[in-house]
Amino acid sequence: MQKFVITGGVPLGGEVRIAGAKNAVLKMMAAAVLTEQPVLLRNVPNISDVAILRELLGDIGFEVRRVNGDALELRAVEATWPFVPLEAGMKMRASFILLGPMLARFGRVILPNPGGDRIGRRPVNLHVAALEQMGATIVYRNGYYFASAPEEGLHAAQYEFPTVTVMGTENAMMAATLARGTTVLDNTALEPEVDDLIDMLRGMGAQIERTGERRVEIQGVPALRGTEHRVLGDRLEAETFAIAAAVTGGSITATGVNPTHLAAFLAVCDRMGIVYEADPDRGALTVHGSRGSELRAVDVQTDPYPGFATDFQAPLSVLMTQARGVSTIHETIFEDRLDHLRELVRMGAEIELLDERRARITGPTRLHGAEVGIADLRAGATLILAALTAEGTSVISGIEHVDRGYEQIEAKLVALGARINRIEA
Ligand code: UD1
C-alpha cells in the first residue's frame, strides 16, 4: 500500500498543465465501441481509471493502444466476450457506461451492478429505464444486468429523465446514435463533459444536437465512422490547484482548461474574496493565495451543472476551514459525500455535521498534520489540500483512490514547491 507524506505550510507557485478530463475520456473510450473504424483520442490522462477501462475493453476483444504519449487509439471490430466482470465493475463504477454503446452496436452485454454490494447508493435505474424505452430487455440476476437489444436493433424513444444524471444521459445518447428513428431526451445533464462527448459523436457522423434547454435530439444512423478527438481539460483538477494556491498563500496558473467551465466555482471564489484571473482565450486560470488576508465564509449547495459540482464540494471544505465565520455545505446529489469531514476534524478543523448531507464549518482554524485515510477520489484530493495547508507533517493512506483521477499529482505539486512524497507502507 502506498501513502503520501506531506509537510504543509509552503506557499505553492508556478504553472501547471491540466490533464484531459476523467469524466469525459471514459465515456469517449466507450463511444469508440460504436464504430468498427479506428478512433483516436488525444489529451488522454494517465490515470488508473483509464487503465482499468482499457484492460476491460481489451478483454471484451477490442484493440486499445497508447500512441505518442497522451493519445489512445481504439478499434472495436468484434466483441468476443461482451461481459464486464464484477471485479472491474467494483473498481470502476463508470464501466456501466458500456451499456448503451454495447447494446447499440453488438445487441448484448452483461454488466455487474456498479458499486458491487453497496446496492441502492449509486443506482442505475434510469440508465436501464431509458434503454428499455429503446426496446432493450434488461434482466437483473445474481448481481449482473443481462441486457439485449431486439433482433432488428434498438429503436428511438422519447424519454424524460426524472432526475438529472450525467452517465444516464450519456448512455442513452450513445445508444440512440445507432437506433432507428429520432430519439428525444429531456432533462439531460449539461456538464461540459457531456457536450464534449456530443462533439465527438458528431465527428463520428452521429446526428445529435441540443434542441432545448435540457433537450437532446438524436436521429439514428445505420453506422458511425472513426474520428480523432481531443479530450477537454479537467475542470476538477484545475479547481484543485486553484484551491492549493488559495490555501497555501501562493499563486498558481492552471493551463489547458476552459475557465468558463469553472463559473460556479469562480462565483464562490468571488464571494469568498479570492483573487484570480481567468483567461478563456489562453485556456488558463491564475489564482492568488490570500494567506494573511481575509477569506469570507460562504454557504454552498451542490447542484447539477451549471450549479456547483458535487465533486468539488469536498475540496472546497478545506478552503472553508480558512475563511472567517461560519460556512455551510449542503450536498444535494449524493448521500455519502461528507465522510472526509471527520478526517478534517482530526487535523484541527471545527466542523459540525448537521445530518448526512449538511455541515457547518467555522473558521479560520489552524490545521495541523495528522495520519488520515481516504475512501474516495475527491476525498483524497481534499486531504492532500488540507495537508498542504496544515502545519507539520501528514500521512495520507488510500491514495490509490487519488490515482484513479489525478495524473501524477505529486509530481505536479512538487514542481509547484510542495513537500510531498509517495512511500510504500
Ligand atoms: C457523474 C460523475 C461523478 C459526478 C456525478 C454528478 C462520471 C464518471 N462521474 O457520475 O464524478 O459526481 O456525475 O455530477 O462522469 N441517479 C439515479 N438513478 C440513476 C442514475 C443516477 O437515481 O440511474 C441519481 C444518483 O443517485 C444521484 C443523481 O442521480 O443522486 C446524479 O447522479 P449521476 O449524474 O448519474 O452521477 P454519475 O453519472 O454516476
Side-chain angles (χ1 to χ4, degrees):
M1 195 174 75
Q2 296 183 332
K3 295 183 178 184
F4 279 141
V5 179
I6 298 174
T7 303
V10 184
L12 302 187
E15 194 168 302
V16 61
R17 170 103 202 136
I18 299 304
K22 171 183 93 71
N23 285 354
V25 70
L26 300 174
K27 330 309 175 48
M28 292 168 177
M29 291 171 73
V33 170
L34 291 164
T35 175
E36 65 172 351
Q37 294 181 7
V39 166
L40 188 74
L41 297 176
R42 297 191 188 280
N43 201 28
V44 173
N46 195 359
I47 55 177
S48 65
D49 267 12
V50 166
I52 293 167
L53 185 54
R54 192 178 154 176
E55 192 181 323
L56 182 53
L57 292 170
D59 288 346
I60 292 175
F62 306 143
E63 288 167 40
V64 190
R65 60 189 188 99
R66 274 249 169 215
V67 280
N68 302 331
D70 74 349
L72 206 58
E73 191 181 68
L74 302 100
R75 186 146 196 207
V77 177
E78 210 181 317
T80 320
W81 299 102
F83 170 67
V84 175
L86 180 61
E87 200 191 344
M90 284 177 76
K91 273 194 214 148
M92 193 183 56
R93 196 189 116 74
S95 57
F96 208 73
I97 200 64
L98 289 172
L99 176 69
M102 285 295 292
L103 273 183
R105 172 90 191 289
F106 296 102
R108 67 199 172 105
V109 66
I110 301 171
L111 295 148
N113 186 29
D117 53 7
R118 294 163 92 186
I119 294 168
R121 287 178 90 185
R122 300 280 295 243
V124 287
N125 57 318
L126 305 180
H127 304 230
V128 170
L131 268 294
E132 281 176 344
Q133 291 287 310
M134 295 182 193
T137 302
I138 303 176
V139 179
Y140 183 64
R141 233 176 344 148
N142 298 328
Y144 283 92
Y145 290 91
F146 292 74
S148 57
E151 194 81 5
E152 65 282 8
L154 297 174
H155 57 72
Q158 301 229 340
Y159 184 74
E160 178 169 350
F161 289 96
T163 305
V164 177
T165 152
V166 173
M167 283 214 294
T169 298
E170 293 165 333
N171 245 333
M173 273 178 1
M174 288 197 276
T177 59
L178 292 176
R180 274 171 299 113
T182 301
T183 294
V184 181
L185 300 174
D186 276 306
N187 201 26
T188 60
L190 298 176
E191 271 67 3
E193 294 78 19
V194 178
D195 282 84
D196 203 28
L197 177 63
I198 290 177
D199 279 354
M200 172 182 170
L201 292 170
R202 278 218 196 93
M204 296 172 76
Q207 303 289 313
I208 174 168
E209 59 180 332
R210 289 208 182 266
T211 53
E213 211 208 341
R214 281 192 181 266
R215 170 172 287 190
V216 179
E217 284 192 44
I218 309 118
Q219 202 185 323
V221 294
L224 294 178
R225 57 175 181 264
T227 191
E228 259 190 58
H229 187 83
R230 186 180 167 80
V231 182
L232 86 169
D234 196 315
R235 61 195 163 102
L236 299 164
E237 188 191 3
E239 290 173 358
T240 305
F241 284 103
I243 290 197
V247 291
T248 64
S251 176
I252 297 177
T253 299
T255 63
V257 68
N258 183 346
T260 56
H261 296 159
L262 277 60
F265 169 71
L266 294 178
V268 171
C269 289
D270 287 336
R271 278 152 59 204
M272 296 187 88
I274 292 172
V275 179
Y276 64 85
E277 290 129 37
D279 184 346
D281 294 335
R282 192 180 152 222
L285 172 72
T286 302
V287 171
H288 303 287
S290 39
R291 210 162 234 211
S293 74
E294 294 258 303
L295 290 180
R296 292 186 289 271
V298 72
D299 299 323
V300 170
Q301 170 175 314
T302 62
D303 277 309
Y305 192 87
F308 190 88
T310 170
D311 288 283
F312 217 64
Q313 168 265 107
L316 186 75
S317 62
V318 179
L319 205 47
M320 289 171 160
T321 67
Q322 303 307 302
R324 181 161 304 277
V326 179
S327 295
T328 60
I329 290 179
H330 181 192
E331 168 59 54
T332 71
I333 312 283
F334 292 112
E335 288 166 10
D336 53 354
R337 282 217 160 164
L338 296 181
D339 287 355
H340 56 279
L341 294 178
R342 290 181 220 288
E343 300 299 281
L344 290 186
V345 169
R346 297 182 52 211
M347 297 177 77
E350 200 180 321
I351 298 176
E352 195 185 345
L353 274 167
L354 302 176
D355 58 39
E356 61 182 9
R357 288 173 181 263
R358 275 171 231 259
R360 196 182 275 152
I361 301 180
T362 306
T365 44
R366 284 197 157 198
L367 301 185
H368 53 76
E371 285 221 13
V372 284
I374 50 175
D376 82 27
L377 170 60
R378 304 302 165 191
T382 305
L383 296 187
I384 291 173
L385 290 167
L388 292 169
T389 315
E391 282 175 9
T393 299
S394 299
V395 180
I396 303 177
S397 58
I399 64 175
E400 65 277 8
H401 296 290
V402 178
D403 293 334
R404 283 188 43 219
Y406 287 89
E407 180 181 270
Q408 302 203 324
I409 190 158
E410 76 268 37
K412 288 182 177 180
L413 286 170
V414 165
L416 297 168
R419 287 179 287 186
I420 172 171
N421 282 306
R422 184 184 287 252
I423 58 162
E424 292 290 339

